[in-house]
Amino acid sequence: MLVIGVLTQFLIRLASLIRTRRPAHLALTAVEQPALLVTLVHGTFARRAAWTMPDSSLSRALSLGPGKGILVRRFEWSGWNSIGARRAAARDLHLDLTEVARRFPRARHIVIGHSHGGNVALDAMRLSQALLTDGLICLATPVLTPLRRSFGAGEEMTVLTSFFVALAAPAILILKLCGASEAWQEGAVAAALILAPIWFARARSLSDAVAGSMPDGALDPERLVFVRSPSDEASGFIATLSLMNWTVGRIAFWPYRTVDWLIRLVDRNRSNVLAGLTLLLGLGVLLALTAINAASADAAAVRPQAQALYAAALLALVVGMAGMLLVLTAQVLKLARARMWVLAVAWPITIPAGLIAGFLLLPAVLLASLSGMVAIGWELLICSVFVEVAAEPCPTGEWQVIQLPPVSGAGLRHSSVYESDAGIAAILAAVERLGESTLVSSMQRSDEASSALPWGSAAPLRHT
């Protein structure tokens, strides 16, 4: 998968270099000195999205603003489904917004992004140190929320082993099917031994970059509105993949969670556990001595009592010694999780156990990698074991969210946010709120302005 991920990255970058360069932003309406600018940002694989065109229902509704004070424009990016592509588009959008703010210093600016186009706009807002936009409206945007997974030395060794198995097993199988010699198979194993640590190191560094690229603190809740449609197909697809990833991951790492539970249990109650086990051992010794004394008597009636004492002593000794061994094992496991050298010293045990654990973890690695690549981007093909990226309706915190009513019909609900009447009304209501003062002043300056906003009947925003 490391090779597939690198190849995918190379093809994406090659395509971005050889493709015909188009303007990053295109004006849909000609306004010399606009009071309000609205930039439309398309989603994944939608560079020519119909909703961003001049004849779309949303563009026409936005163009019905008072007088000639509204400029509707579109921002075009590669549309590739990858974190890197969206990050590059965010940088381009940030530069574009900076240039627009320089050209129209008195105009207000609102950005509307659909699907992953909303994530592009969110990243652009995070990059901005100055107030480049007065508002952002995200339409059916699966807000990416990363969660960094932390592993101990034992889990990291298991992940590294699973990487080796993922590289070596398919290569050996293909070579055997092709009738290759054992030398070729040994070479494949040697190559996997070299590539697995490279994959491991690259996955860790890439997961750090992914987890650190999406801070919520740089976003202003007063300038953000999220418009969502019920039963959104894209969000449901990503949520399904995330659930599968979560389920398989929890099953695969169940032994390590059991070890964690054991370590926490012993640490919290170490003194009580040791005291209880010591009493059990002492009781066992006392009962054993009593049983020996009773067995030495000649009376036959005493011998059943001696046998019962022997059984009780044996039980107390076994439980006490097993408990002591459990406490010792927990401490060794705690040390092994934090110190790689402990695993290295115990290599006759850790290597076979690591190979078994690697085979058991392999399905989780494959599913997490493939589902992450499809839903989020090729980066998750490499680093999904170390970072989990969920798609949420909004970032962490309190935000303004408009939940649209269910839409009947055969069209995609993911597109209903900008196609349906309810979706357009919600967008116009958000535009009214975010650019209200500009629109009012524009109405006062324009001879053709009406006494009320054209979308004044739109439903008010709901806060969550």
Side-chain angles (χ1 to χ4, degrees):
M1 282 185 294
L2 174 65
V3 178
I4 297 175
V6 173
L7 182 60
T8 304
Q9 181 183 12
F10 172 75
L11 292 176
I12 290 175
R13 293 185 177 181
L14 180 62
S16 65
L17 290 176
I18 64 176
R19 65 180 175 86
T20 303
R21 187 67 179 175
R22 295 178 180 174
H25 53 84
L26 301 173
L28 302 185
T29 57
V31 179
E32 294 182 358
Q33 293 298 327
L36 175 66
L37 296 100
V38 179
T39 298
L40 310 179
V41 184
H42 62 81
T44 305
F45 305 127
R47 294 179 61 189
R48 306 299 298 173
W51 73 277
T52 64
M53 298 302 172
D55 57 346
S56 69
S57 300
L58 178 60
S59 297
R60 290 197 303 268
L62 290 170
S63 300
L64 292 177
K68 299 181 179 180
I70 296 182
L71 172 64
V72 182
R73 53 199 299 276
R74 63 188 302 269
F75 176 83
E76 187 175 304
W77 59 288
S78 67
W80 287 104
N81 185 28
S82 74
I83 296 175
R86 289 189 289 271
R87 193 174 301 170
R91 290 192 294 267
D92 291 341
L93 179 58
H94 177 261
L95 294 176
D96 176 62
L97 297 178
T98 304
E99 174 63 20
V100 170
R102 186 191 64 81
R103 290 177 55 193
F104 305 106
R106 296 184 179 180
R108 289 204 170 189
H109 198 162
I110 294 176
V111 179
I112 301 176
H114 175 248
S115 192
H116 276 316
N119 283 318
V120 170
L122 287 171
D123 289 342
M125 289 188 69
R126 294 183 180 109
L127 289 173
S128 176
Q129 299 298 324
L131 192 66
L132 296 180
T133 62
D134 294 280
L136 168 60
I137 304 172
C138 294
L139 310 178
T141 296
V143 179
L144 303 182
T145 305
L147 175 62
R148 184 77 164 84
R149 295 189 178 109
S150 59
F151 297 134
E155 291 95 327
E156 289 188 349
M157 181 64 71
T158 302
V159 172
L160 179 60
T161 306
S162 68
F163 286 177
F164 165 75
V165 173
L167 293 171
I172 294 175
L173 179 61
I174 293 174
L175 290 174
K176 282 188 175 182
L177 293 176
C178 296
S181 62
E182 292 185 359
W184 279 94
Q185 298 178 26
E186 294 173 355
V189 173
L193 286 173
I194 296 173
L195 291 176
I198 298 175
W199 182 1
F200 185 87
R202 175 59 175 160
R204 290 192 65 173
S205 62
L206 191 58
S207 65
D208 291 336
V210 170
S213 64
M214 309 170 188
D216 294 335
L219 302 176
D220 183 5
E222 295 299 322
R223 296 192 292 141
L224 268 175
V225 177
F226 296 89
V227 182
R228 302 196 58 82
S229 175
S231 304
D232 183 276
E233 298 87 357
S235 297
F237 175 71
I238 296 177
T240 301
L241 294 179
S242 298
L243 178 61
M244 294 170 56
N245 187 4
W246 179 88
T247 303
V248 175
R250 293 304 182 274
I251 294 174
F253 285 100
W254 174 82
Y256 296 103
R257 293 200 306 277
T258 304
V259 170
D260 290 338
W261 172 82
L262 175 62
I263 292 173
R264 290 195 301 270
L265 178 65
V266 172
D267 284 343
R268 285 198 303 265
N269 307 280
R270 184 183 304 171
S271 58
N272 295 333
V273 170
L274 290 176
L277 294 176
T278 303
L279 288 176
L280 275 177
L281 289 175
L283 178 62
V285 172
L286 179 62
L287 291 175
L289 293 175
T290 305
I292 292 172
N293 186 39
S296 63
D298 294 334
V302 180
R303 291 180 180 175
Q305 299 176 0
Q307 292 176 356
L309 289 174
Y310 270 128
L314 180 62
L315 178 62
L317 288 173
V318 168
V319 172
M321 293 180 64
M324 289 291 187
L325 182 61
L326 187 63
V327 173
L328 179 62
T329 302
Q331 297 306 308
V332 173
L333 290 173
K334 183 178 180 180
L335 183 62
R337 289 198 61 191
R339 299 290 186 270
M340 187 68 75
W341 65 266
V342 178
L343 299 177
V345 170
W347 66 267
I349 299 176
T350 57
I351 290 181
L355 288 173
I356 295 174
F359 272 103
L360 295 177
L361 185 61
L362 183 59
V365 173
L366 294 176
L367 181 60
S369 300
L370 295 176
S371 62
M373 180 190 68
V374 173
I376 309 299
W378 67 266
E379 293 87 350
L380 274 296
L381 182 67
I382 297 177
C383 68
S384 59
V385 176
F386 291 99
V387 62
E388 180 180 355
V389 180
E392 303 296 340
C394 58
T396 304
E398 296 184 1
W399 306 91
Q400 304 170 72
V401 179
I402 300 178
Q403 182 70 33
L404 300 179
V407 178
S408 60
L412 291 175
R413 294 181 177 89
H414 190 58
S415 304
S416 65
V417 286
Y418 55 75
E419 290 180 344
S420 66
D421 294 338
I424 294 176
I427 295 171
L428 296 179
V431 170
E432 176 187 3
R433 177 193 175 278
L434 296 173
E436 183 177 4
S437 60
T438 297
L439 294 177
V440 170
S441 61
S442 176
M443 289 172 10
Q444 293 174 351
R445 290 192 304 267
S446 176
D447 294 335
E448 300 176 1
S450 59
S451 59
L453 292 173
W455 43 73
S457 59
L461 294 176
R462 292 191 291 274
H463 296 262
T464 60

